[in-house]
Amino acid sequence: SLVREATPGSLFKEEKQNRLHPLSLSCVLGYNSSLAVHSLVDGENQLLLYISSHTAVIHDVLGNRQYLLQGHTNVISCLCVSEDRRWVATADRGPDALIIVWDSFSGIPVRTIFDSHPQHGLSAIAMSQDAKYLATISGGAVQRVCVWKWTCPTDKPVCSTELRPEFGHQDYVIFNPQNPCEFVSNSKTQVIFYLWVSMERGNWISGARHSLRGAVGHFSQSVFHFNNSQALTCTSAGKLVVWDRVSPCSSSEEPQVNLHSMKAAKLVPLQKDSLTVLLLFESCIVTGDVKGEVKFYNGQLQHLACYSHSKVGPIQSISFSKAPPDALTPCSTSHTTSSQPFTPSLIHSVLVSLTLHRNFILSTSDATVLHVTADGANFEKVLEEAKKAVNAIACHPRQALVAVGSHCGLLKLWDYQHNKYLVSRIFTHAGIQCLCYDLEGYFLAAGFTDGSVYILHAISLLSSCEEFRFSRGPVTHIGFSHDSEYLATADEKYAVTVYKRVLQNGRRCWEHLAGLHSHYKPIRSILFGVQLDSNEPRLLSLGEDRQLVEYELSSSSKDHLVVLQRNRIEQAAVPLCLAWYPQLSTESFFLTANSCYKMKLYNATTKMCRKTLLGPTYGSPLEKMQILPTTNTVDPKKYYLAYITKDKVGLQILPVDGNPHKSSAFICHPEGVSNFAASYDGCYIFTVGGSDRTVMKWEVNLNALDAAASLGGEDMIPFYNLLEGGKEGQFFRELEDYFYYAQLSSHGIDTLETRQVSTWIPLEEIPSIMRAMGFYPSEEKIEEMINEVKFSEYVDTGEQVTKINLEDFIKLYLNHRPAFGLSMKKIQRAFQVLGYENENGEKVIDRGDLLLLLQRRGEHMTEDELARCLTILLGKHPPGEDSDLGTSGAAALTEEEIPAEITAEIFAADILGLPVAE
């Protein structure tokens, strides 16, 4: 097999395989500095292992290459490696948590454990010295400890036990290297020793917990001493707790006696500074602390050596290089000669000498990884990444460069073609929130968390002018006009600010033009465009207040930003992002995506909604989108849309038509993707994960996306498949019946004239069929649907469409209906907002208040309309006949049939007549 034939250097020898997916992760920047960094190989091939979000990365430092271990859908919460560095175990925390064991020689996952801790995932994991067993501790308030024999094909643990909440949150675990049946874990206040035993009556696990009082500090990490009778725990007070067995047990005693006899024998004050790392390596006890110092002790805790550097931060992990083959025997060192016998003390001194002659890797909590030589003379920085959230990213419009900014003030420029950093700059006053290049690639604008705006040279990152401070809140969006004459920003205080390039003293510079609080809810997008009848720029902003605002830049003056037009573009959904639609027809559009998974095309001039389409439905709505740049000379009319959702990045084939096979998405940042950018040639997409402090580079393969769309079927096949039961199902047959009944209705049911059968119905019949199929659109939505069909050919022919055929109706129905059908949760949420809590603890709405709300809020109903609807819904008057109840009769009916307090369930089941699940 590939695993059996793999060797330590074979991971990067294989040629790069063809990418089979529309998006393939090819490189990761940044890593999780709260987890350990491991040295897999040192020397000619310096390989590091670290975690970036949900991906484990094997990084060839000298070769500047990465091998990505992908398989988790949640952020990896813990990892461990075997003693020989071949086997790597990773685990995550979240729904459907996984444990995956990888072969680091080949990069192949050799074992996957499903549902190990399904509720809360894992908080700690360790591998035994013989690499046969895994010890895991779950997350959550009530933790579960399990032992797994991962070499056996079973998803059940060998044994497990439950920890009570008073034990504290156990977040570190390690095996006894001399006995795989013993392991220890600790929280900040509790240390627990475990023993698991395999017996004829079954496997069981037992534990004994210990805590200390006094000025001990918080526990950091624990290890077993190599003398096999003691254990050690380091603390935040710089002390070392020595645990010892009070009385050694004989072979006739129960095995758990050995475990429960562990007591704190002594407390050794090693130093004043907090200890963060404790490990055993060969015959040395090694510690790391918050000052960046690494200290070596012998078994009696006598100090041997200290490694320190002024620029090293708090140490998070220490990983020693593997011993070279010729250094594994005592006779190969200068401490022995052929005439000296191998006494225990001599062997110990040789092992200590070998330990102190190993290179090692340090990782710090401030996201720096260093390679330290054995003599301590060289502390080489291998990685230096962002220490805080990464939200800002922008790609150069003409070169293979990407700029990345973080909340720690670090701005880096990266050559993504050769995977190397070019230049960086640190801003100490605030964090970087957003970035944007101008169209020519001369300027890089940066918006900061304190509201300041910098305009920098695109390559050197030096300031082109003094910073601006006109925003009162963090700058969330920033963008240049197409001619680089204007710069606009949006901030968290719902304001849009515009800067203009002017000529002063013979040189061009930037100055503040004006600002305006144009929205009353968060601004989701600002977008520059070009006037249709000139080359002048136009500026739009879109907010969660559902307002699309266009500004008249040519009429704006100093401290006066003129609003050209305001349009409310949504009735109930919240618009989330905005982009110019490619010129695929004679009509110009801009594209929006909303919180109901719908994408809408609006006429660029009239702002009229021209089309509503079903967008990608991958767990959350689209958060941001961008037309993918293209260098396609074969078909210049072929365009693609790149987008991000809450945790995914995806591609969509244009034009958008509601076909689900035309889009694809992949998990990029499980804890949330904050921003993305596309390369100037459209070959790469970059995503940033905010709190996970990582940047991911995705390789684009448009041929794979086109192939997937083709496999989904042509013409109407993808749309028929969206109907319940498909084209052969009962739903489609009912739709056909309603469609042809509408034809009869439009001609007159009782007419005796000869009927002409056709495949068309008048547009006026659209609402009736929609409601008959279980979709109840508002009056505004009905108007949008009819206008969508009516003006579909107007720009090309100058004529309005008055009828629709069955296939177009099916597309209209699928694109406009709710993406996930009727939801009881929406009704319950409305009652949560509008209602009050009665004496039974139920959320209810008073009957009179409900009737008033229906008449005064949303699309107003008159009293007569409300009376007629209620009489029909309550079954007291058949639909289609004239009501003779009158207002007073309807009022009496509502009092008789509708309770004084209405719950969401009563409203849905008893009034609307909808089926409600138990």
Side-chain angles (χ1 to χ4, degrees):
S1 69
L2 294 175
V3 174
R4 188 173 300 172
E5 295 173 356
T7 58
S10 62
L11 188 63
F12 292 97
K13 288 182 179 178
E14 296 182 7
E15 294 183 2
K16 184 179 177 181
Q17 296 181 349
N18 293 328
R19 305 291 187 178
L20 302 179
H21 301 288
L23 290 171
S24 301
L25 186 61
S26 61
C27 186
V28 178
L29 307 177
Y31 74 101
N32 188 343
S33 59
S34 65
L35 299 181
V37 176
H38 294 276
S39 173
L40 298 181
V41 180
D42 195 20
E44 294 183 1
N45 295 312
Q46 195 180 110
L47 298 186
L48 302 182
L49 171 71
Y50 52 82
I51 300 301
S52 296
S53 189
H54 64 310
T55 303
V57 181
I58 298 178
H59 185 182
D60 179 2
V61 177
L62 302 179
N64 193 24
R65 299 174 293 180
Q66 291 182 347
Y67 192 95
L68 307 177
L69 307 179
Q70 301 178 76
H72 292 275
T73 57
N74 305 302
V75 171
I76 296 174
S77 56
C78 49
L79 79 159
C80 61
V81 298
S82 61
E83 183 66 21
D84 62 359
R85 320 293 170 89
R86 173 154 194 180
W87 310 109
V88 175
T90 57
D92 63 65
R93 181 182 295 174
D96 303 319
L98 298 176
I99 301 172
I100 304 179
V101 181
W102 311 82
D103 172 26
S104 69
F105 291 0
S106 63
I108 295 174
V110 295
R111 181 79 169 88
T112 302
I113 301 174
F114 299 91
D115 299 323
S116 57
H117 300 278
Q119 291 186 342
H120 302 287
L122 284 83
S123 64
I125 190 170
M127 188 175 289
S128 61
Q129 184 86 356
D130 58 7
K132 292 182 179 180
Y133 299 97
L134 292 173
T136 61
I137 303 179
S138 70
V142 179
Q143 294 181 284
R144 189 159 195 84
V145 181
C146 297
V147 176
W148 310 81
K149 189 171 184 180
W150 67 268
T151 54
C152 294
T154 176
D155 282 347
K156 293 184 178 180
V158 175
C159 51
S160 64
T161 189
E162 200 170 85
L163 303 179
R164 295 194 297 273
E166 57 264 31
F167 289 5
H169 185 77
Q170 302 286 315
D171 56 5
Y172 186 80
V173 64
I174 191 170
F175 274 97
N176 185 343
Q178 302 180 59
N179 182 3
C181 292
E182 292 183 7
F183 57 98
V184 61
S185 72
N186 67 261
S187 65
K188 290 183 177 181
T189 58
Q190 305 274 347
V191 177
I192 305 177
F193 294 92
Y194 307 83
L195 175 72
W196 68 273
V197 181
S198 179
M199 306 180 69
E200 291 183 0
R201 62 178 182 272
N203 301 323
W204 56 268
I205 187 171
S206 178
R209 70 185 178 101
H210 304 277
S211 60
L212 294 177
R213 297 178 180 177
V216 178
H218 289 147
F219 296 141
S220 301
Q221 293 184 355
S222 302
V223 294
F224 284 93
H225 199 287
F226 38 72
N227 64 17
N228 203 29
S229 65
Q230 294 179 324
L232 308 171
T233 300
C234 66
T235 76
S236 61
K239 296 178 173 61
L240 203 65
V241 183
V242 180
W243 309 93
D244 204 348
R245 293 182 172 91
V246 176
S247 57
C249 77
S250 62
S251 58
S252 61
E253 290 179 319
E254 288 293 327
Q256 66 266 30
V257 174
N258 214 11
L259 182 73
H260 287 271
S261 64
M262 296 291 287
K263 302 294 180 184
K266 56 184 175 181
L267 189 63
V268 182
L270 293 183
Q271 58 185 59
K272 294 182 179 180
D273 299 304
S274 174
L275 294 170
T276 56
V277 176
L278 175 65
L279 59 91
L280 297 185
F281 192 73
E282 302 294 353
S283 295
C284 285
I285 299 168
V286 187
T287 65
D289 60 31
V290 293
K291 291 182 67 177
E293 293 184 345
V294 179
K295 296 178 180 178
F296 292 79
Y297 302 86
N298 63 15
Q300 289 74 43
L301 297 180
Q302 296 172 330
H303 186 265
L304 300 176
C306 177
Y307 292 76
S308 64
H309 193 280
S310 60
K311 295 185 178 180
V312 178
I315 294 176
Q316 185 68 34
S317 69
I318 304 170
S319 181
F320 286 90
S321 63
K322 292 173 66 176
D326 58 354
L328 295 178
T329 58
C331 61
S332 64
T333 70
S334 59
H335 288 266
T336 61
T337 64
S338 58
S339 61
Q340 286 181 306
F342 292 145
T343 63
S345 60
L346 181 61
I347 293 176
H348 179 269
S349 65
V350 170
L351 291 174
V352 171
S353 177
L354 286 173
T355 303
L356 295 177
H357 283 78
R358 299 278 189 91
N359 298 339
F360 56 93
I361 291 293
L362 288 182
S363 72
T364 66
S365 58
D366 58 4
T368 304
V369 178
L370 302 103
H371 180 264
V372 184
T373 55
D375 57 6
N378 186 14
F379 279 68
E380 178 189 359
K381 281 187 181 179
V382 178
L383 295 173
E384 186 175 16
E385 301 296 344
K387 302 170 180 61
K388 294 183 180 179
V390 179
N391 290 321
I393 190 165
C395 285
H396 195 281
R398 296 177 184 273
Q399 299 181 47
L401 304 175
V402 62
V404 180
S406 75
H407 277 190
C408 66
L410 177 64
L411 175 61
K412 280 189 171 184
L413 189 63
W414 188 54
D415 179 354
Y416 56 80
Q417 206 69 274
H418 300 95
N419 291 347
K420 65 178 183 179
Y421 288 116
L422 299 180
V423 65
S424 64
R425 180 177 174 181
I426 295 179
F427 298 85
T428 56
H429 69 282
I432 304 170
Q433 183 68 27
C434 52
L435 294 168
C436 181
Y437 282 99
D438 74 309
L439 198 62
E440 296 297 324
Y442 297 142
F443 300 108
L444 174 65
F448 286 78
T449 53
D450 66 347
S452 60
V453 174
Y454 281 70
I455 300 177
L456 312 172
H457 186 273
I459 306 299
S460 67
L461 304 185
L462 298 176
S463 298
S464 296
C465 59
E466 292 294 322
E467 74 271 19
F468 296 103
R469 295 183 178 271
F470 291 93
S471 296
R472 296 183 179 179
V475 178
T476 56
H477 299 80
I478 194 164
F480 284 96
S481 62
H482 73 287
D483 56 3
S484 302
E485 292 297 312
Y486 292 92
L487 172 69
T489 67
D491 58 49
E492 285 189 2
K493 299 297 183 181
Y494 320 143
V496 172
T497 307
V498 178
Y499 304 88
K500 187 176 182 181
R501 208 170 171 209
V502 295
L503 189 65
Q504 287 184 357
N505 300 325
R507 62 185 296 266
R508 296 183 67 79
C509 60
W510 292 90
E511 71 170 16
H512 172 257
L513 178 63
L516 183 68
H517 285 82
S518 47
H519 296 269
Y520 62 89
K521 285 188 177 182
I523 297 173
R524 297 295 306 201
S525 295
I526 57 172
L527 186 66
F528 274 104
V530 184
Q531 298 287 352
L532 296 179
D533 55 353
S534 69
N535 197 40
E536 291 296 313
R538 60 189 297 195
L539 175 63
L540 300 91
S541 65
L542 179 67
E544 290 184 10
D545 54 7
R546 303 177 178 87
Q547 295 289 326
L548 177 72
V549 182
E550 183 169 4
Y551 308 88
E552 193 168 16
L553 297 176
S554 59
S555 302
S556 299
S557 57
K558 185 66 176 177
D559 297 326
H560 181 60
L561 185 59
V562 178
V563 172
L564 177 65
Q565 196 175 9
R566 287 180 181 270
N567 297 88
R568 183 182 173 95
I569 64 170
E570 291 283 359
Q571 184 180 30
V574 177
L576 299 177
C577 49
L578 174 70
W580 291 110
Y581 200 65
Q583 198 73 34
L584 300 177
S585 64
T586 53
E587 192 172 2
S588 297
F589 301 104
F590 58 83
L591 178 70
T592 68
N594 66 29
S595 58
C596 293
Y597 297 87
K598 302 298 183 182
M599 304 177 81
K600 290 188 173 184
L601 287 174
Y602 292 86
N603 183 280
T605 303
T606 64
K607 313 294 193 305
M608 177 183 176
C609 181
R610 292 285 292 103
K611 215 162 196 180
T612 299
L613 303 145
L614 178 65
T617 54
Y618 297 111
S620 59
L622 271 61
E623 297 285 337
K624 294 184 179 182
M625 60 185 177
Q626 176 186 341
I627 303 300
L628 192 69
T630 180
T631 56
N632 189 350
T633 57
V634 178
D635 188 359
K637 288 287 186 180
K638 200 164 189 178
Y639 291 93
Y640 300 84
L641 180 79
Y643 62 85
I644 55 173
T645 66
K646 182 181 178 181
D647 60 349
K648 298 176 181 69
V649 58
L651 293 172
Q652 166 82 46
I653 299 175
L654 298 182
V656 182
D657 59 3
N659 181 352
H661 300 290
K662 285 189 174 183
S663 68
S664 179
F666 299 84
I667 295 174
C668 55
H669 301 273
E671 289 188 336
V673 51
S674 60
N675 209 341
F676 83 108
S679 63
Y680 72 96
D681 56 2
C683 293
Y684 299 99
I685 293 174
F686 299 87
T687 59
V688 290
S691 59
D692 69 13
R693 293 171 290 170
T694 59
V695 181
M696 296 193 173
K697 172 185 169 185
W698 300 84
E699 191 173 322
V700 176
N701 183 357
L702 298 177
N703 291 331
L705 181 62
D706 291 335
S710 298
L711 291 173
E714 297 180 353
D715 300 327
M716 286 296 296
I717 293 176
F719 299 96
Y720 288 139
N721 292 336
L722 290 176
L723 297 173
E724 184 180 348
K727 191 177 181 181
E728 306 302 323
Q730 179 66 27
F731 189 87
F732 179 77
R733 289 197 293 270
E734 286 184 9
L735 178 58
E736 275 188 317
D737 292 342
Y738 288 130
F739 190 85
Y740 292 116
Y741 178 80
Q743 279 189 9
L744 298 177
S745 177
S746 65
H747 294 150
I749 297 294
D750 300 325
T751 182
L752 299 177
E753 296 178 5
T754 304
R755 300 181 185 275
Q756 294 182 352
V757 179
S758 71
T759 58
W760 304 82
I761 60 169
L763 299 186
E764 294 77 17
E765 298 293 338
I766 288 177
S768 301
I769 304 179
M770 292 287 181
R771 290 165 183 152
M773 299 309 298
F775 169 38
Y776 307 100
S778 65
E779 294 300 319
E780 184 175 315
K781 281 191 174 295
I782 289 172
E783 185 179 356
E784 284 184 358
M785 285 189 289
I786 292 176
N787 286 340
E788 180 176 320
V789 182
K790 182 186 294 185
F791 297 106
S792 59
E793 300 175 4
Y794 187 81
V795 175
D796 297 323
T797 64
E799 297 180 356
Q800 296 181 4
V801 177
T802 59
K803 56 186 179 180
I804 187 173
N805 61 26
L806 179 60
E807 291 184 350
D808 289 338
F809 178 86
I810 290 174
K811 289 182 180 180
L812 191 72
Y813 167 76
L814 292 172
N815 282 316
H816 281 266
R817 71 173 182 178
F820 301 105
L822 290 172
S823 172
M824 186 64 194
K825 288 183 179 179
K826 287 187 177 181
I827 300 177
Q828 291 170 338
R829 196 177 302 121
F831 273 70
Q832 290 283 338
V833 174
L834 300 173
Y836 61 91
E837 193 170 300
N838 65 8
E839 57 186 13
N840 298 325
E842 300 174 312
K843 279 288 185 179
V844 298
I845 298 179
D846 179 79
R847 178 179 58 210
D849 292 341
L850 177 62
L851 298 179
L852 287 176
L853 286 169
L854 291 172
Q855 294 177 70
R856 298 178 181 178
R857 296 292 182 92
E859 293 183 343
H860 303 172
M861 299 179 71
T862 65
E863 199 169 355
D864 290 338
E865 287 175 335
L866 181 59
R868 184 173 185 276
C869 286
L870 288 175
T871 54
I872 294 174
L873 286 170
L874 296 173
K876 299 300 181 181
H877 193 80
E881 296 183 9
D882 294 331
S883 174
D884 57 358
L885 285 176
T887 303
S888 59
L893 176 65
T894 57
E895 290 184 7
E896 178 184 343
E897 297 292 333
I898 300 177
E901 293 183 336
I902 306 169
T903 65
E905 288 71 23
I906 290 174
F907 181 74
D910 298 343
I911 298 178
L912 298 181
L914 300 175
V916 178
E918 292 292 337

